[in-house]
Amino acid sequence: MRKEFLAFAPPSLGEEEILAVTNVLKTDWLSSGPKTAEFESLFAQAVGAEGALALNSCTAALHVALLAHNIGPGDEVITTAMTFCATANVIEHVGATTVLADVNPDTLLIDPLQIEKRITKRTKAIIPVHYAGHPCDMDRINAMAAKHNLVVIEDAAHCMPSKIGDLSVGATKNLTCFSFYANKNMTTGEGGMLTGPKELLEKARVLALHGMSRNAWKRFEKGGSWRYDVPAPGFKYNMSDILASIGIVQLGKLDGFYRRRCEIAARYDKAFKESMTLKPLTVLEGFQTSYHLYVVQLNLEKLSIDRDQFIVELAERNIGCSVHYVPIHMHSYYQNKYGFKPVDFPHAFGAFQRILSLPLSPRHRDQDIDDVIAAVNEVGEKFKR
Ligand SMILES: Cc1ncc(COP(=O)(O)O)c(C=O)c1O
């Protein structure tokens, strides 16, 4: 058994990020300024987006994306039951109604058929989530949105780099929201990016900085005017140059991070190919997953313990795991407001009993992954039914 605890998803940061931060600290500009602008431009280039807006979280990106599309009270927004609470919370923040759709049981991605069933006269938007970094079926979702005149906002918190065919997630006309939270594929500690058409991004940019018509960098630089107007009461969602400087370095390292994620996923795939205990998520032909998460579904019929106990057993063997996610309809706020019952979304509910996410970070060495595989197999064998 391994001696040290294996963290689930430690961030990959080095001297380069430390130097980048130190360099910003030596300048006179710490908030959104030249580094943030550089990060936005490099990120837009990396995903092939028309433009990009750096923010302090993906949650902020989702929130201002809904506001930029004027979505609010009386509107319905359809999203997946299998996502992090932030995706649904922002729908509530703008005063719209959260409508959930169930997932495909093999990929845990939102099922386009289930979306279609929930479209009403009040539906204004769909928020597909590229769960674990595997893109949703955007051809079908975009076609459905066009037919019913709906907005699509993509939750790409797990992407980087995810692709459909040769097209990167983030490259289309849909506003797309990325996360640089500490455990994401690239990180700024906390942070996010919104990509999409320039016009919508400019609206979002104003909303993300108090609603001010002119940002501080433009006001305080030589020749800048101190005067500004507030056409709408906005939020304080901007990214600082300190964090942007980390993002620039992380973006430069992303290819290497992604290659290592693929190697780790391949190692797991090979080990669990014939497993009676668990089944990894299905990766569909024509899609590039970013392998943000390596999610497996336990075969509970073949085990005498449940998922929670399986995680405890792995922790006792010094393996850190996680669960992504408690489905939205199982949180008390959503149950109380919408009267959801667990069986309303049977695939999301069923998967929730079985899923766990195994350790996955470019920091993990082959031996770490082999330790995970050995522990998973040992627990599976010990509690075989
Ligand atoms: C699917 C999904 N959406 C949104 C978010 C929110 O991201 P952030 O923490 O950057 O606000 C997360 C974060 O974990 C996520 O997993």
Side-chain angles (χ1 to χ4, degrees):
M1 193 182 90
R2 42 177 303 130
K3 294 207 172 62
E4 286 160 32
F5 187 73
L6 183 68
F8 164 69
S12 301
L13 298 162
E15 290 304 319
E16 303 81 0
E17 285 84 350
I18 294 169
L19 184 65
V21 168
T22 313
N23 285 342
V24 173
L25 297 180
K26 287 178 186 162
T27 71
D28 285 336
W29 199 265
L30 305 182
S31 184
S32 306
K35 281 289 160 195
T36 307
E38 185 186 341
F39 185 31
E40 288 173 345
S41 142
L42 290 171
F43 193 91
Q45 217 180 316
V47 299
E50 197 182 309
L53 168 65
L55 297 164
N56 60 13
S57 71
C58 177
T59 308
L62 288 160
H63 189 189
V64 292
L66 284 167
L67 293 171
H69 279 299
N70 300 317
I71 290 162
D75 298 335
E76 292 177 1
V77 179
I78 302 175
T79 191
T80 168
M82 185 53 91
T83 185
F84 184 57
C85 57
T87 320
N89 287 350
V90 291
I91 302 172
E92 299 294 311
H93 291 161
V94 300
T97 300
T98 304
V99 176
L100 299 178
D102 207 355
V103 293
N104 174 296
D106 297 322
T107 59
L108 304 190
L109 294 168
I110 194 165
D111 179 350
L113 261 181
Q114 296 299 320
I115 299 177
E116 188 133 46
K117 278 189 186 163
R118 281 162 179 79
I119 294 173
T120 70
K121 282 202 183 88
R122 292 180 166 228
T123 308
K124 284 281 154 55
I126 307 169
I127 309 184
V129 177
H130 304 305
Y131 177 83
H134 190 307
C136 296
D137 185 348
M138 293 312 298
D139 282 352
R140 280 181 71 189
I141 294 171
N142 286 331
M144 204 184 300
K147 183 173 152 199
H148 297 277
N149 198 21
L150 307 176
V151 159
V152 179
I153 295 167
E154 298 180 43
D155 183 333
H158 299 179
C159 299
M160 286 314 274
S162 300
K163 289 184 183 174
I164 303 177
D166 291 330
L167 197 69
S168 292
V169 168
T172 69
K173 294 253 173 256
N174 294 337
L175 283 177
T176 303
C177 310
F178 295 86
S179 175
F180 309 131
Y181 177 69
N183 67 7
K184 293 299 190 281
N185 287 20
M186 54 175 282
T187 185
T188 57
E190 296 280 1
M193 192 72 79
L194 183 65
T195 62
K198 287 225 161 95
E199 210 179 295
L200 281 171
L201 289 184
E202 280 321 303
K203 200 169 164 191
R205 191 180 291 280
V206 171
L207 287 164
L209 196 68
H210 306 293
M212 289 163 73
S213 59
R214 192 176 283 129
N215 70 32
W217 189 30
K218 285 188 185 147
R219 280 181 286 121
F220 294 143
E221 70 185 349
K222 187 159 190 262
S225 165
W226 57 267
R227 191 176 281 283
Y228 59 88
D229 178 42
V230 174
F235 300 84
K236 185 65 167 69
Y237 283 163
N238 57 309
M239 176 177 276
S240 75
D241 267 19
I242 301 170
L243 297 191
S245 74
I246 302 176
I248 292 168
V249 178
Q250 288 269 296
L251 193 58
K253 293 180 175 181
L254 193 69
D255 282 351
F257 290 164
Y258 175 62
R259 272 197 301 277
R260 183 62 192 143
R261 283 183 179 277
C262 288
E263 283 170 9
I264 293 172
R267 212 169 182 88
Y268 281 142
D269 282 348
K270 191 165 168 229
F272 300 135
K273 210 167 156 205
E274 311 285 331
S275 174
M276 302 292 280
T277 313
L278 54 82
K279 190 169 167 272
L281 291 185
T282 301
V283 177
L284 301 172
E285 194 86 32
F287 293 83
Q288 176 182 299
T289 172
S290 68
Y291 283 118
H292 170 54
L293 300 170
Y294 194 89
V295 177
V296 297
Q297 302 203 56
L298 295 179
N299 188 354
L300 296 176
E301 292 71 24
K302 292 270 193 304
L303 291 166
S304 60
I305 52 171
D306 64 10
R307 186 271 321 279
D308 290 1
Q309 190 57 34
F310 202 99
I311 289 178
V312 170
E313 293 290 335
L314 288 179
E316 279 173 6
R317 289 161 178 78
N318 277 331
I319 307 296
C321 292
S322 193
V323 173
H324 301 85
Y325 294 94
V326 179
I328 299 298
H329 70 292
M330 294 177 70
H331 291 298
S332 57
Y333 169 82
Y334 291 93
Q335 291 195 335
N336 292 338
K337 179 165 179 190
Y338 295 104
F340 292 138
K341 293 185 194 57
V343 291
D344 288 349
F345 306 96
H347 293 316
F349 176 61
F352 174 60
Q353 323 292 311
R354 299 167 181 274
I355 47 173
L356 67 137
S357 307
L358 298 180
L360 177 48
S361 155
R363 286 263 297 281
H364 292 143
R365 296 158 301 144
D366 287 350
Q367 186 58 55
D368 297 324
I369 301 307
D370 289 345
D371 290 346
V372 178
I373 294 166
V376 166
N377 287 340
E378 190 186 305
V379 175
E381 197 53 38
K382 182 170 175 194
F383 295 98
K384 193 161 70 182
R385 179 145 58 184

